[in-house]
Amino acid sequence: MTVVYLNGKRVDYGDAKVSVEDRGFQFGDGLYEVVRVYGGRFFYLDRHLERLKKGAREIYLDLDFGLDELKEVCRKAVLDGGFKDASVYIQVTRGAAPRQHNFPANTTCTWVVLVREAKAQPQEYYENGVSAITVPDERWMRCNIKSVQLIPNCIAKEKAKKAGAYEAIFHRGGVVTEASSSNVFIVKNKRLFTHPANNFILHGITRGVVLEIAEKLGVEVVEENFTLDKLFDADEVFVTGTMTEIMPIVKVDGKIIGDGVPGEVTRSIMKEFRELTETVDQ
Ligand code: PDD
């Protein structure tokens, strides 16, 4: 079952269509969000909508609907499907217009809310950890914008799949940035390191939640650039994302990380995170 709202109106999945001249289709001129619902409760929807609003400002996109309206549509879509555990995909583009690079003058946004049941990842991934590969970060310089232009991310994820790995970790000239669809953390001597929230990474909502958990647990956080050498030398590595949640990485490019099992700091953060998924409703 998939529930779709197109431009604020419920449509059947098969009838949910946009123009061939939609700028999202032709230029990748749009933004998206993926929000998780646990037990019918939204997990930090407000933070996702705030990021969408910021992204729209960055790309000079006037949202011609209110965030309250979008929020209401998200709620309705989840209720319509009677979903308990779901993923909510939100996409907004600059709309349809005859193809030209300049922004069209009188176009309205195309916006979609699509909800389907979330498939939980295999429990053994969380218990035993998974592997990753490293790849050069070939993306543009504004990765903080959650743009629908994801080709480098898709190529990286495909490389990971071909290598039998779960995720591809990006590095820019040897500095670890993030991963193809998640943020990267390492633990060294009980301290948590992650790339600073600048233009080279997406400011992940889950990343922010992990930083709050670390503070609560009294784990020192260092938001500074770190190199591939530091990644391989880490005691623990994990990646974070809305659908990924907190995933321990125990092998990178075939090299074992730490003891080769999810570490203590990672596990304590995972536990706190799981508790939040059972309570947060905003
Ligand atoms: N991906 N970095 C990248 C490049 C991402 O694509 C994502 C999320 C994240 C984590 O962000 P958040 O914690 O806000 O989900 C980091 C989404 C889920 C996706 O493309 O499906």
Side-chain angles (χ1 to χ4, degrees):
M1 161 96 164
T2 305
V3 172
V4 187
Y5 277 74
L6 178 58
N7 301 325
K9 293 198 177 58
R10 172 86 191 263
V11 282
D12 285 340
Y13 181 72
D15 296 330
K17 297 187 172 134
V18 299
S19 165
V20 290
E21 291 212 285
D22 193 277
R23 290 181 63 93
F25 181 55
Q26 290 188 330
F27 294 104
D29 188 357
L31 305 169
Y32 78 105
E33 286 293 330
V34 182
V35 189
R36 188 73 155 80
V37 171
Y38 293 99
R41 297 174 305 275
F42 278 91
F43 195 63
Y44 296 114
L45 172 63
D46 289 345
R47 297 185 187 187
H48 285 274
L49 297 185
E50 202 46 47
R51 182 171 64 186
L52 184 72
K53 190 168 118 189
K54 266 197 201 156
R57 224 180 288 135
E58 294 262 3
I59 66 165
Y60 313 103
L61 172 64
D62 292 325
L63 299 177
D64 43 32
F65 53 88
L67 288 190
D68 285 348
E69 188 183 357
L70 174 54
K71 193 170 174 177
E72 194 45 40
V73 168
C74 290
R75 291 206 174 281
K76 271 197 285 189
V78 169
L79 285 176
D80 285 358
F83 294 105
K84 290 280 166 267
D85 293 300
S87 66
V88 179
Y89 179 77
I90 302 166
Q91 184 175 332
V92 186
T93 77
R94 208 178 303 270
R99 187 181 184 279
Q100 58 155 8
H101 286 67
N102 292 103
F103 298 162
N106 299 308
T107 319
T108 53
C109 296
T110 303
W111 55 290
V112 174
V113 173
L114 184 150
V115 186
R116 57 167 54 110
E117 203 175 304
K119 276 187 242 128
Q121 317 227 27
Q123 195 49 35
E124 69 256 28
Y125 285 15
Y126 295 106
E127 280 167 14
N128 306 330
V130 295
S131 64
I133 57 165
T134 60
V135 294
D137 194 339
E138 293 169 337
R139 300 172 302 159
W140 69 334
M141 309 278 271
R142 301 184 67 189
C143 301
N144 53 315
I145 299 171
K146 203 161 170 58
S147 146
V148 292
Q149 306 175 62
L150 290 171
I151 300 171
N153 307 60
C154 295
I155 292 173
K157 189 72 104 187
E158 197 56 26
K159 281 187 181 160
K161 186 180 172 192
K162 289 216 169 84
Y166 176 85
E167 186 48 302
I169 295 176
F170 286 129
H171 67 90
R172 242 179 232 272
V175 170
V176 174
T177 50
E178 57 178 335
S180 76
S181 65
S182 53
N183 291 110
V184 178
F185 288 80
I186 65 171
V187 178
K188 188 70 188 173
N189 299 330
K190 306 284 174 214
R191 292 203 301 167
L192 193 57
F193 294 78
T194 196
H195 194 285
N198 59 19
N199 57 309
F200 291 118
I201 65 160
L202 183 76
H203 306 183
I205 305 304
T206 322
R207 175 187 182 280
V209 171
V210 166
L211 295 183
E212 289 168 4
I213 292 174
E215 190 176 359
K216 182 182 165 203
L217 293 177
V219 175
E220 189 187 336
V221 175
V222 184
E223 290 182 81
E224 278 175 12
N225 286 1
F226 62 87
T227 60
L228 281 173
D229 287 346
K230 286 253 162 43
L231 173 72
F232 292 119
D233 186 44
D235 299 328
E236 307 175 29
V237 175
F238 62 88
V239 293
T240 66
T242 294
M243 302 310 291
T244 310
E245 303 183 313
I246 296 165
M247 185 61 76
I249 304 285
V250 294
K251 206 192 260 184
V252 181
D253 289 345
K255 298 183 188 77
I256 302 282
I257 301 297
D259 299 330
V261 291
E264 203 181 303
V265 175
T266 308
R267 280 187 287 116
S268 55
I269 292 173
M270 288 169 81
K271 185 166 169 282
E272 292 284 332
F273 183 82
R274 186 55 63 215
E275 279 172 26
L276 288 176
T277 65
E278 285 156 11
T279 50
V280 170
D281 189 7
Q282 41 179 277

